[in-house]
Amino acid sequence: MIVYYPIISYNPVPYGVASPKGQILLMANLTFDGMKWENAVDLYNNLVLKGDEDYGDYVVLELKTPGWCMDAVVWDGTRYTRRATCVRKVTISKYTFRIPPGSYWYLDGSYHLILYKPEGAPKNYEVVNFTVTYGPKSDWGAFKAAYPEVEREK
């Protein structure tokens, strides 16, 4: 006697921010084509979203931590261009993300979201909170901005 048991599985990847979710990100002094930032965090290679539904063409990232702002810098093939300066909210195309099979979204290498404090130096391990909205769905992200450890003399 053979028993057939249908195995039906529907496991969508839930929507949300996969990273950063409280991780420590090191601040650095950044320079792109003469544009400079001190003690800044670049979300390139750090911002990862998850989701497998199509809610439209735009993703909105909004800073929630007071005193912080962000610049959007884009490589156009010949030079870097600043698309937004010291904003708290930025709307970017979903096509700015690489979306390989598996439904995780990675910020494309030509797009940099640089977060920094325009007034005063950040505290070591200062928590920076933000939200990401894609269509009707929203999720939170956060990181601790840390200064790199200085190599000590022997």
Side-chain angles (χ1 to χ4, degrees), residues 17-25 125-130 140-145:
V17 176
S19 176
K21 280 283 197 182
Q23 291 95 328
I24 295 172
L25 298 182
Y125 298 106
E126 185 170 340
V127 177
V128 179
N129 293 295
F130 61 90
W140 67 274
F143 62 88
K144 293 179 182 177

Side-chain angles (χ1 to χ4, degrees), residues 148-154:
E149 188 173 319
V150 178
E151 190 173 351
R152 297 181 188 151
E153 292 183 34
K154 294 182 180 183

Side-chain angles (χ1 to χ4, degrees), residues 94-105:
K94 79 171 185 181
Y95 302 107
T96 303
F97 293 86
R98 291 175 315 207
I99 308 174
S103 299
Y104 284 90
W105 302 19

Side-chain angles (χ1 to χ4, degrees), residues 50-86:
K50 55 187 174 179
D52 61 358
E53 295 186 38
D54 189 356
Y55 289 117
D57 291 337
Y58 297 99
V59 174
V60 178
L61 189 139
E62 184 174 1
L63 285 169
K64 298 298 184 181
T65 302
W68 284 78
C69 65
M70 69 184 134
D71 290 0
V73 178
V74 180
W75 174 255
D76 66 8
T78 57
R79 65 187 186 99
Y80 284 99
T81 304
R82 194 182 317 220
R83 296 273 172 94
T85 303
C86 200

